Amino acid sequence: MMPHDFMPGLAGVPAATSSISDVDGQRGILEYRGIRVEELCAKSSYLETAYLLLFGHLPTQGELQRWTNDVTHHRRIKFRIIDLMKCLPEQGHAMDALQAAVAALGMFYPGRNVKDVENNYWSAVRLVAKLPTIVAAWARLRYGDAPIPPRDDLGFSENFFYMLTESVPHPLWAEIFDDCLILHAEHTMNASTFTGLVTASTLADPYTVVASSIGALKGPLHGGANEEVVVMLKEIGTADKARSYVEGVLGNKKKLMGFGHRVYKVKDPRATVLQGLCQSLFKECGSSPLYEVALEVERAAGELLKGKGIHPNVDFYSGIIYDKMGIEVDLFTPLFAMARVSGWLAHWLEQLRENKLFRPDQIYSGEHNRPYVPLAQR
């Protein structure tokens, strides 16, 4: 019998105090620095939201201009990083390539003195700026195509699509993609943020912190779920098969991908915004069969799970948008990392203010006084 104070997965156990973001799971509210994400999507941009998360306030016009210019002029990556990625297996997962490249970034830039405020600023600039370049470069390198250099005259989201496709996207696509990045930028004490905080508490450099967070985000129970949702929707195929699929999953007591959240007991507010973005995108570019399937899955799950507090989460609709934009499925989680790096870095900076090494305890459940048995007697 385990002691009553043991909480598997640290469920409900506070690991830090933070002023970065807050979730009200009963009412479906997510705020960044006290501002609701719906308002940020409607009025802000990803780079402005990243500044808000990192530095605690909305930037003035001058601050935003400097931040935007700094990020814009640090998008390029060293040719040796490109050479490193060329040596990775083409069939490898994009998250593994991203993690390897981000870890390597720390060898090229001075980031070890995390007590240097100016140095920390430039580390944040580089990581926010270079992750999209790495993701886009890998998307092309694995097919034998040369990476496309960033363009300084393009905005953050426009430039990413340009590096991916060598064409400037429709303004609506860039706007919707920017909102997707805002929605994925931060979400309190999740698994990848906690992983980053543990690493940060050792005073490791920020590139190592972010690389460790990327590793945690890769898992299918965290960021990798958005890939699984699209795979599921394609497997279902058509809307008329959705209910029987959901019944089968629930009947076999399996997880319905894109549903349920440790915190939210109502529909994830990010899912609601993403659903609206889907509708805006489809109005301009035509609907997606995946969306029709998704609506039926949500309807069937709502009826079958009624009263259990299990609703669509952020992963349920995001992949549908990316799929419609022609982005490959295994890039979905790297896009998540591109957005979440601002949240990870915000927590990193907050951790450094009153740092204490994470060193949790354990409950030992093994034997005591066990004798050593010589090899010949085993």
Side-chain angles (χ1 to χ4, degrees):
M1 178 76 69
M2 290 291 184
H4 70 279
D5 57 352
F6 172 61
M7 302 297 290
L10 300 179
V13 179
T17 60
S18 179
S19 61
I20 298 169
S21 67
D22 186 52
V23 172
D24 184 332
Q26 300 298 326
R27 295 191 294 159
I29 296 173
L30 171 61
E31 296 174 323
Y32 296 169
R33 301 288 188 181
I35 304 174
R36 290 178 67 150
V37 289
E38 297 92 337
E39 187 170 8
L40 289 169
C41 284
K43 301 175 181 176
S44 186
S45 66
Y46 174 70
L47 280 185
E48 183 181 57
T49 298
Y51 187 100
L52 169 69
L53 290 169
L54 286 162
F55 306 115
H57 64 275
L58 288 170
T60 64
Q61 187 172 353
E63 288 170 336
L64 182 58
Q65 184 174 354
R66 183 205 170 190
W67 168 247
T68 301
N69 288 342
D70 289 342
V71 170
T72 299
H73 292 117
H74 283 81
R75 290 170 174 166
R76 287 161 181 76
I77 52 178
K78 303 283 189 183
F79 76 85
R80 292 192 185 278
I81 297 291
I82 298 292
D83 289 347
L84 181 151
M85 290 194 287
K86 287 179 181 178
C87 295
L88 300 176
E90 295 91 341
Q91 71 276 13
H93 197 285
M95 283 293 278
D96 293 328
L98 179 61
Q99 186 178 34
V102 170
L105 281 179
M107 301 180 71
F108 291 92
Y109 300 103
R112 293 188 179 278
N113 182 11
V114 294
K115 296 182 180 179
D116 184 334
V117 175
E118 183 73 7
N119 200 17
N120 288 350
Y121 172 81
W122 288 111
S123 293
V125 166
R126 290 188 186 102
L127 282 160
V128 170
K130 295 180 190 300
L131 258 70
T133 310
I134 293 170
V135 173
W138 174 253
R140 296 179 60 82
L141 284 169
R142 60 182 175 176
Y143 294 118
D145 297 324
I148 297 168
R151 272 177 49 179
D152 290 353
D153 62 315
L154 297 178
F156 192 84
S157 292
E158 283 181 310
N159 177 68
F160 175 72
F161 274 103
Y162 174 75
M163 292 190 296
L164 202 61
T165 65
E166 206 168 8
S167 61
V168 179
H170 188 289
L172 178 65
W173 282 34
E175 182 182 327
I176 288 174
F177 188 76
D178 216 59
D179 284 344
C180 289
L181 296 180
I182 291 173
L183 293 169
H184 285 86
E186 163 61 7
H187 204 260
T188 70
M189 190 60 70
N190 52 81
S192 56
T193 297
F194 181 61
T195 301
L197 284 179
V198 173
T199 306
S201 76
T202 70
L203 299 185
D205 67 87
Y207 304 96
T208 302
V209 170
V210 171
S212 67
S213 293
I214 290 170
L217 187 70
K218 182 187 175 186
L221 294 184
H222 193 9
N226 58 9
E227 297 180 33
E228 302 289 338
V229 170
V230 169
V231 171
M232 175 187 75
L233 296 175
K234 289 183 176 180
E235 181 183 339
I236 295 170
T238 55
D240 60 305
K241 297 177 182 177
R243 187 178 182 90
S244 61
Y245 180 90
V246 174
E247 288 174 341
V249 169
L250 299 180
N252 290 316
K253 299 190 182 303
K254 293 182 179 179
K255 180 175 173 58
L256 186 61
M257 300 310 298
F259 279 77
H261 197 278
R262 182 72 69 86
V263 178
Y264 293 113
K265 303 308 175 189
V266 295
K267 189 170 180 176
D268 187 330
R270 299 170 297 176
T272 302
V273 176
L274 285 165
Q275 190 170 1
L277 294 176
C278 280
Q279 293 165 355
S280 297
L281 179 64
F282 300 153
K283 185 177 180 181
E284 180 72 28
C285 307
S287 190
S288 162
L290 295 183
Y291 183 63
E292 305 306 322
V293 176
L295 289 177
E296 284 303 314
V297 169
E298 182 176 0
R299 186 176 294 114
E303 294 172 3
L304 297 169
L305 294 169
K306 191 172 183 179
K308 293 189 177 181
I310 300 176
H311 304 273
N313 56 41
V314 69
D315 298 308
F316 191 63
Y317 286 107
S318 60
I320 300 172
I321 292 175
Y322 300 149
D323 180 78
K324 182 66 177 177
M325 291 178 170
I327 299 172
E328 293 176 278
V329 173
D330 69 343
L331 294 180
F332 293 176
T333 313
L335 299 186
F336 197 154
M338 274 170 43
R340 185 58 60 88
V341 69
S342 57
W344 291 333
L345 291 169
H347 284 275
W348 164 65
L349 292 172
E350 191 175 63
Q351 172 75 21
L352 292 176
R353 290 184 196 129
E354 294 183 22
N355 186 62
K356 187 172 180 62
L357 178 68
F358 274 94
R359 206 303 188 181
D361 206 349
Q362 66 165 17
I363 297 170
Y364 179 67
S365 60
E367 301 177 43
H368 290 287
N369 300 316
R370 186 177 178 183
Y372 176 83
V373 179
L375 183 60
Q377 299 175 25
R378 295 178 207 163

